[in-house]
Amino acid sequence: MRTGLWLVGGRGSVAVTSTVGALALRAGLAGPTGCVTELPALRTAALPAMADLVFGGHDIATTPLVKKAESLAATGVLPARLVAALAEELGTVEAELRPAPTGGPQAAVVEAIVADLTGFRVRHRLDQVVVVNVSSTEPTPDPHPAHARLSELDTALADGSPLPASSTYAYAAFTAGCSYVDFTPSTGARLPALDELAQRAGLPYAGHDGKTGETLVKSVLAPMFAMRHLRVRSWSGTNLLGGGDGANLAEPAANAAKSASKQRVLGETLGYVPQGNTRIEYVDDIGDFKTAWDLVTFAGFLGTPMRMEFTWHGCDSSLAAPLVLDLARLTAAAHRAGRSGPLTELAFFFKDPLGDVPHALAEQWAMLRAFVRELDREPGSGGSDAVAA
């Protein structure tokens, strides 16, 4: 099942780490650590193989992939030996990266994106294409009447009304017959009009905001407090990060969108919102690495005050990249199995998942396992039914 993976932000750190990682796995130069779909519980022939992934993408940046990969190696994100060994393969991917269409009427931008996606699919004779947004976080847009119904959105676009960039890509992806994943907290397909378009086109979509660090820990710890009937009084955190993502989140509007996404898990899991908030600060010197400090205060039996503190230090791109590959494979398999609309079963991967779903990691894991088992049973999926035949 030849599957295109079209990365919006294809020259960024997460995209390049995903690309190098997939190429290294294909060549047998690295193991699949961090790839959830390579766990025995989720491994199935219904998913496209790593060797079947074909990479392309858009970006406003022009830095060659090899140069970006070398800079990531210099800061410890990628092994330098892999970048050297895969230079030729990265050159092949380079040929499939396009300048992001910008400026001009919104309808023309959509048309240009659709043309690039269609050309990519035809050139490589792809069975499916999954568009994954790994670009910079956008501010949350103001509500617009045209976002409610597809007919109104079509008219608004024809009249030149703007859409958020992430939603423009979702609109173009669905128009081109591609599924869509938003790995960022941006709006993406989370508009009623775009859900209508996806359902009409028979296409699945997933999101939002990949869960890779501090929020991953929250989704494990918050259920612990709830199940032990310990009252969380406050939960505050400070996140320090550098790199392009950190620079983007230094902007107040983008920062607010990200912070809201990170806090949602507490209210959903505990059943109430404790005092405190999450702060995000840009520290250029730490580059693609991030550090989070969290302080939790809670009450025990008879109101006895207690506290917990933890520190998370990780590499953002290395944590995110294998999940991008997982999501592309799962979404492609869902498309092949005839799924359309929001893939709520992929909540395991997101801070702010689609639909009315549990936010505790263990419950999300159970949903994901059931989803993969169902994919495995779909006729023609390449899973157990196909093998038995």
Side-chain angles (χ1 to χ4, degrees):
M1 183 167 60
R2 284 176 61 77
T3 299
L5 175 46
W6 189 270
L7 295 163
V8 184
R11 298 184 188 277
S13 298
V14 172
V16 174
T17 304
S18 301
T19 303
V20 170
L23 294 174
L25 289 171
R26 181 183 305 172
L29 299 176
T33 301
C35 293
V36 178
T37 49
E38 289 300 309
L39 288 169
L42 299 183
R43 200 174 294 141
T44 168
L47 303 182
M50 289 288 183
D52 290 332
L53 297 180
V54 181
F55 288 84
H58 279 129
D59 208 318
I60 57 174
T62 58
T63 305
L65 280 185
V66 170
K67 292 296 183 184
K68 179 65 176 183
E70 288 172 350
S71 70
L72 290 172
T75 57
V77 177
L78 292 173
R81 64 175 182 82
L82 291 183
V83 177
L86 297 168
E88 183 176 343
E89 288 82 354
L90 286 170
T92 301
V93 177
E94 178 76 37
E96 292 299 332
L97 296 184
R98 300 290 182 267
T102 57
Q106 194 78 10
V109 172
V110 170
E111 186 178 342
I113 296 170
V114 169
D116 284 341
L117 292 173
T118 302
F120 178 58
R121 181 172 56 224
V122 170
R123 278 193 304 279
H124 295 282
R125 299 180 181 179
L126 302 171
D127 297 297
Q128 285 94 27
V129 176
V130 183
V131 176
V132 182
N133 180 23
V134 286
S135 62
S136 298
T137 298
E138 302 166 350
T140 302
D142 294 328
H144 192 287
H147 295 167
R149 294 179 61 83
L150 181 58
S151 58
E152 295 171 0
L153 181 59
D154 289 339
T155 300
L157 287 177
D159 292 341
S161 298
L163 262 180
S166 60
S167 299
T168 300
Y169 269 97
Y171 185 100
F174 298 150
T175 302
C178 307
S179 49
Y180 179 82
V181 177
D182 205 326
F183 202 75
T184 80
S186 301
T187 304
R190 197 165 30 187
L191 297 175
L194 293 178
D195 175 71
E196 185 182 343
L197 178 58
Q199 301 276 7
R200 181 181 297 181
L203 293 163
Y205 63 92
H208 290 81
D209 201 5
K211 183 164 57 186
T212 59
E214 179 197 33
T215 310
L216 179 65
V217 179
K218 284 180 177 178
S219 69
V220 176
L221 291 179
M224 175 195 74
F225 286 110
M227 287 185 286
R228 289 296 300 271
H229 202 192
L230 298 170
R231 180 78 181 183
V232 177
R233 296 187 179 277
S234 70
W235 196 316
S236 292
T238 297
N239 287 234
L240 308 178
L241 68 161
D245 193 33
N248 175 63
L249 292 174
E251 296 296 325
N255 192 304
K258 185 78 170 182
S259 296
S261 174
K262 291 172 72 65
Q263 284 295 91
R264 183 181 172 189
V265 65
L266 295 180
E268 296 286 348
T269 306
L270 296 172
Y272 57 91
V273 180
Q275 182 185 0
N277 53 38
T278 297
R279 297 174 55 198
I280 303 173
E281 297 184 12
Y282 174 52
V283 181
D284 178 64
D285 191 57
I286 61 177
D288 201 56
F289 289 79
K290 61 182 180 183
T291 295
W293 294 304
D294 276 42
L295 170 65
V296 186
T297 63
F298 61 100
F301 188 50
L302 306 179
T304 305
M306 290 176 268
R307 60 192 288 162
M308 175 183 184
E309 300 174 46
F310 69 84
T311 301
W312 174 276
H313 182 69
C315 176
D316 201 40
S317 296
S318 294
L319 291 164
L323 304 187
V324 169
L325 301 177
D326 288 330
L327 286 163
R329 298 174 74 197
L330 288 162
T331 304
H335 182 190
R336 189 181 186 198
R339 285 290 303 269
S340 62
L343 297 176
T344 56
E345 298 93 338
L346 301 187
F348 178 84
F349 295 96
F350 298 108
K351 297 183 182 74
D352 188 14
L354 297 167
D356 183 14
V357 295
H359 284 249
L361 194 69
E363 294 177 73
Q364 293 177 341
W365 170 251
M367 287 173 55
L368 179 61
R369 288 192 65 182
F371 173 71
V372 171
R373 285 196 297 270
E374 188 63 30
L375 288 178
D376 204 36
R377 288 193 290 266
E378 288 290 338
S381 67
S384 55
D385 287 352
V387 172

